């Protein structure tokens, strides 16, 4: 199997390499592609050094599977043409709501791999991926009616540049120097910003609408969902405070059991000081953690919980590589 990564020098691209190594996926030839700025750099993979190709001159027929992790504009410009020569797993939002493009979280809707039409598969938004992997076993058992979410999203969700800016702003703030924001709409150091991606006319942001629409496409179009997405000054991992209302009567014991047995999920819920998972603890881990599970005493058959996951892994690289594994399995019959 020959594999290519477009955006190999970025946050997600590097994590894709790490997961391919971790899962010991057999790669015959590997093609690492980025902008012309990165040509000349070398990246390690399985003990060997690989040079970076420029996207402008890269030949897409070299690899059977190509991961796109270079942003929506690059996917828009190159992916459909490239898909004539290679199967694309796209991390951007560009194709996610395209009816001819399956949007997959392998633990939730693996069967969608059989609906491949354009030779492009979309990877969901990071906040959606860690949510649906938790909702799926609960929906199967108790039928979810409505979900209310507030997110606490790390700056790595926006790429490398916002991470560097958080460091700069933090230093400037401590040194009492003037702070200017380039990748954020307000100061992010020592602050939180209730705004991710662009606003739509109804007052919701595109990030919030992505969570609504992608959850419906992956899990069930009947689920009502409303979200408030917030950027916080944390480098990696997104957290979510989630309120879920079910149609059927629930038991917390059964919910714990279902989530503990769900692939990719781990319950850590001790109801004591420190008995929950925070973003720093989830960084670098493949699991999505669930803590603070409790009844919402204001509404029947409703619970609250806290979900934390590494946004670069479940929300991007890990999910993308798991999609590739699904594809390889399908192609091998
Ligand atoms: N971060 C997350 O949590 C997350 C989660 C889900 C999906 N995604 C999506 O994954 C994609 C990548 O995100 P990221 O966080 O990895 O961003 P990033 O760290 O900023 O990396 C961007 C990558 O794209 C490359 N690139 C930029 N402009 C290019 C051009 N004109 N031609 C070729 N390559 C170009 C960069 O190469 P150079 O180094 O050469 O500039 C770099 O490799 C985005 O679509 C993002 O929405 C991210």
């Amino acid at each position: 199997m020959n594999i290519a990564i477009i955006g190999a020098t970025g946050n997600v691209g590097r994590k894709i390499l790490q997961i391919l190594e971790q899962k010991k996926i057999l790669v015959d030839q590997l093609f690492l592609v980025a902008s012309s700025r990165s040509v000349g750099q070398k990246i390690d993979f399985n003990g060997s050094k690989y040079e970076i190709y420029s996207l402008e001159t890269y030949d897409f027929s070299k690899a059977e599977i190509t991961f796109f992790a270079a942003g929506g504009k690059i996917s828009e410009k190159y992916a459909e043409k490239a898909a004539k020569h290679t199967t694309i797993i796209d991390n951007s939002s560009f194709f996610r709501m395209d009816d001819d493009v399956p949007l997959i979280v392998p633990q939730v809707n693996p069967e969608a791999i059989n609906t491949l039409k354009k030779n492009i598969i979309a990877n969901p938004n990071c906040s959606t991926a860690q949510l649906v992997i938790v909702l799926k076993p609960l929906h199967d058992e108790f039928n979810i009616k409505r979900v209310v979410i507030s997110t606490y999203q790390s700056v790595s969700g926006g790429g490398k540049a916002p991470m560097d800016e958080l460091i700069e702003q933090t230093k400037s703030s401590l040194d009492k120097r003037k702070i200017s924001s380039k990748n954020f709409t307000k100061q992010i150091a020592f602050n939180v910003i209730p705004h991710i991606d662009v606003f739509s006319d109804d007052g919701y942001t595109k990030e919030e609408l992505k969570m609504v629409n992608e959850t419906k496409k992956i899990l069930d179009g009947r689920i009502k969902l409303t979200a408030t997405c917030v950027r916080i000054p944390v480098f990696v991992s997104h957290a979510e405070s989630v309120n879920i209302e079910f149609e059927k009567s629930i038991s917390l014991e059964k919910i714990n059991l279902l989530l503990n047995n769900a692939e990719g999920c781990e319950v850590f819920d001790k109801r004591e000081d420190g008995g929950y998972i925070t973003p720093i603890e989830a960084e670098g881990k493949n699991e999505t953690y669930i803590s603070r599970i409790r009844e919402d005493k204001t509404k029947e058959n409703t619970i609250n919980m806290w979900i934390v996951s590494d946004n670069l892994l479940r929300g991007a690289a890990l999910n993308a590589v798991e999609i590739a594994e699904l594809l390889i399995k399908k192609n091998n019959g």
Side-chain angles (χ1 to χ4, degrees), residues 21-211:
E21 276 184 342
Q22 201 183 85
K23 285 179 169 280
K24 298 189 172 33
I25 291 183
L26 281 179
V27 182
D28 296 318
Q29 284 188 284
L30 178 69
F31 301 95
L32 303 183
V33 184
S35 76
S36 50
R37 295 180 292 270
S38 298
V39 173
Q41 271 185 45
K42 290 205 168 130
I43 293 184
D44 278 341
F45 178 71
N46 279 341
S48 301
K49 290 212 180 302
Y50 288 80
E51 62 183 272
I52 304 291
Y53 292 83
S54 165
L55 177 60
E56 281 162 29
T57 51
Y58 175 68
D59 169 7
F60 281 99
S61 64
K62 284 176 183 283
E64 282 90 30
I65 294 180
T66 301
F67 294 97
F68 267 68
K73 288 204 174 103
I74 298 290
S75 297
E76 179 180 10
K77 186 168 171 195
Y78 291 93
E80 284 194 84
K81 275 189 222 148
K84 295 194 171 80
H85 309 282
T86 175
T87 305
I88 310 274
I89 299 173
D90 183 31
N91 281 282
S92 83
S93 61
F94 189 73
F95 292 101
R96 289 184 194 148
M97 297 316 295
D98 183 327
D99 287 340
D100 293 335
V101 172
L103 176 65
I104 302 182
V105 174
Q107 292 76 4
V108 180
N109 62 337
E111 68 289 346
I113 195 90
N114 299 317
T115 64
L116 201 58
K117 286 188 187 141
K118 284 185 173 173
N119 218 14
I120 300 174
I121 304 164
N123 200 50
N125 172 265
C126 34
S127 305
T128 310
Q130 71 181 64
L131 176 72
V132 292
I133 199 174
V134 174
L135 296 186
K136 163 76 175 164
L138 305 181
H139 187 51
D140 285 350
E141 186 74 20
F142 303 115
N143 284 356
I144 293 173
K145 236 164 122 176
R146 180 168 182 259
V147 185
V148 183
I149 307 157
S150 297
T151 69
Y152 303 71
Q153 297 180 225
S154 64
V155 295
S156 61
K160 286 182 294 188
M163 295 175 83
D164 293 340
E165 188 171 338
L166 173 57
I167 297 173
E168 277 314 307
Q169 284 196 12
T170 304
K171 282 187 198 156
S172 298
S173 174
L174 292 172
D175 293 346
K176 306 223 176 320
R177 278 185 279 124
K178 189 172 175 287
I179 291 178
S180 58
S181 290
K182 288 193 284 292
N183 295 285
F184 303 97
T185 50
K186 300 216 177 195
Q187 175 180 329
I188 185 68
F190 306 105
N191 201 7
V192 295
I193 305 174
H195 173 192
I196 302 178
D197 213 330
V198 295
F199 273 96
S200 68
D201 292 342
D202 59 7
Y204 284 89
T205 63
K206 199 171 157 200
E207 184 81 355
E208 291 159 355
L209 298 177
K210 279 183 229 166
M211 290 197 78

Side-chain angles (χ1 to χ4, degrees), residues 228-281:
T228 303
C229 292
V230 180
R231 190 70 81 196
I232 59 167
V234 159
F235 286 113
V236 177
S237 300
H238 292 347
E240 300 175 341
S241 164
V242 186
N243 179 274
I244 314 167
E245 183 184 355
F246 300 95
E247 269 169 20
K248 297 186 184 166
S249 46
I250 51 163
S251 95
L252 286 190
E253 210 183 344
K254 188 75 198 272
I255 284 171
N256 265 285
L257 194 69
L258 288 168
L259 292 177
N260 252 327
N261 291 335
E263 203 193 325
C265 295
E266 190 174 318
V267 175
F268 188 95
D269 192 10
K270 293 197 174 164
R271 299 186 172 187
E272 63 187 33
D273 290 356
Y276 36 78
I277 296 292
T278 57
I280 273 182
E281 295 158 290

